[in-house]
Amino acid sequence: MDKNVKKVNDILVNLFNMVLELEEQAVTESSSKDLSITEIHTLVAIGKGRPKTMTHVANLLGIKVSTLTIAINKLVKKGYVERLRDKQDGRIVRIHLTENGMTAVEAHESFHENMIEEALSHIPEEELHKFISSIDNINKFLLMRSSGAFERADDFKLEPLKLGHHDLPVPIVQAGMGAGIAGSRLASSVAIEGGLGLIGASDVGTLEKDIKTALKSVNEAGGKGLVGVSITWNDPEAHKYVEIAVKAGVQVIVTGSALPKDLPKYCTSKKVALVPIISSKRAASAIIRSWTKKYNRVPDGFIFQGPHAAGLLGFKEAELEKAEQERFRMIAEVKAELSKLENCPLLVGGGIFGREDAEHAYRYGADGIMMGTRFLVTEECDAPDEYKKLYLNCTANDVTIIRSPIRTTVRAMKNAFTEKVIVSGEEYDITEAVKKGVEGDYDNGLIFCSVNADKIDTIGSVKDVFKEFTEQKG
């Protein structure tokens, strides 16, 4: 074995063992002497926030619910965890830390924080950045290795790509926000800059006109980008939207919220690129298998919408926290799956706010990016100005997660409506709730926002957004 390889291997093994020993020693010397390290980690997974379901915690720990049940039984007896039955559905049991449980978690967090601070204090200030960069590189490599994908080593650059029979000069997609937020004006402005502008399908009566207006604007301005439509696939009008969009001459159809296993049945034209939004490798594989078998067709691209996105998320509450921790691994896994196809680019959305976010996604396999919030707060966005100003005043504490009508989750701004949903758990019409928000009922409407909404400080232009992501450094 090479000397350097052996030395690094020995260091990593020793670090792992020593941290475990120090953790055990810290527990022994604390007021929680009756806890094992495994039990401490279980308490950390439960967390100090809202009560979680057993499935949620099991997902975070990567174990079976049956295994977790045994551990929780012991922690309840020891007084660190309590079970709470859901007031709306008595069949659902959630687990929550008791006061002793919270004290144990806080002591564990303090132990790690103090240990790392003390360790870093021995590294000269001028070497600290290099050290962090080095261990981050090792972490990224292991992440990529575990996903079966590879990490790009070349410099970030948004290269032109093909979506079916269409060329997309700049692989930047503007999310198709419904309820009139993303209409013909915003979509055409994005396409004029060379990107893919999506009209949010939410009105059967106006969709055809919106598409034709956008295509005309792009043509008159000499734009080379594409105009598409975004359809919520579990919408009762979804199939009708497809028919209208194809008739109007749309170039791309993007679908989200449900697996569009029968989309090619309603759009047989190969001139229209079909691009599903997915949130996992498994979803991509299922769509590819279904389309290949039934329609002898494969998607012309995929959009991976990660857990940091605004609005309707493809993750249940029990899956969300783990997905946030592993989102770059998930991008790499999806990319590895799509690389088996001849030409199926991967566009990544959710939490893409600045160039650094795009560069990170690119390294893990993204061929392009999708953004919603950044385009919502542009002059060209079709939403009312007062609605846009809500984002200028949004802070990190104003963003919350609620349950969606299809049992996944929604990220939105806190208001009376979201608090009501959290407390009561009652069902609601998500389309109508979004419309209320756009129409100015900010207390009783649903206002989607991404995890980065608090970073918005100005209303800019579509051209400014493109410039930020396409200018070459140096």
Side-chain angles (χ1 to χ4, degrees), residues 41 44-47 52 56-62 136 139-140 143 146 304 306-308 315 317-331 333 360 364 411 451:
H41 292 165
V44 171
I46 296 171
K52 293 183 173 71
H56 188 166
V57 177
N59 282 340
L60 291 174
L61 294 169
D136 189 39
N139 180 57
K140 288 174 183 174
L143 185 62
S146 67
F304 172 82
H308 286 171
F315 305 92
E317 187 177 3
E319 304 166 336
L320 191 57
E321 192 170 342
K322 187 174 182 181
E324 289 176 338
Q325 296 168 0
E326 299 185 351
R327 65 193 183 104
F328 291 110
R329 174 178 176 174
M330 294 165 74
I331 293 171
E333 287 178 339
H360 208 161
Y364 284 85
R411 179 173 281 110
V451 75

Side-chain angles (χ1 to χ4, degrees), residues 6 9 28 32 75 78 93 95 102 157 187-188 195 225 234 248 276 280 297 344 363-364 371 408 416 421 451-452 467:
K6 186 177 186 307
N9 180 70
T28 302
S32 309
L75 289 169
K78 292 179 180 181
V93 176
I95 47 180
M102 292 185 187
K157 187 178 181 182
S188 61
N234 56 7
S280 69
R297 183 170 184 176
C344 190
R363 287 202 299 273
Y364 284 85
M371 295 178 287
T408 55
V421 171
V451 75
N452 292 316
K467 186 177 179 181

Side-chain angles (χ1 to χ4, degrees), residues 180-209:
I181 297 174
S184 59
R185 185 180 180 213
L186 178 58
S188 61
S189 298
V190 170
I192 288 169
E193 295 300 322
L196 168 57
L198 297 176
I199 295 170
S202 53
D203 189 333
V204 171
T206 62
L207 183 58
E208 183 174 359
K209 180 182 177 182

Side-chain angles (χ1 to χ4, degrees), residues 404-419:
S404 81
I406 58 174
R407 296 294 180 266
T408 55
T409 46
V410 170
R411 179 173 281 110
M413 285 189 201
K414 289 179 183 176
N415 60 6
F417 177 82
T418 60
E419 290 304 307

Side-chain angles (χ1 to χ4, degrees), residues 111-124:
F111 157 76
H112 274 282
E113 186 177 342
N114 294 335
M115 180 178 63
I116 297 301
E117 283 183 353
E118 190 174 345
L120 293 180
S121 68
H122 292 276
I123 301 175

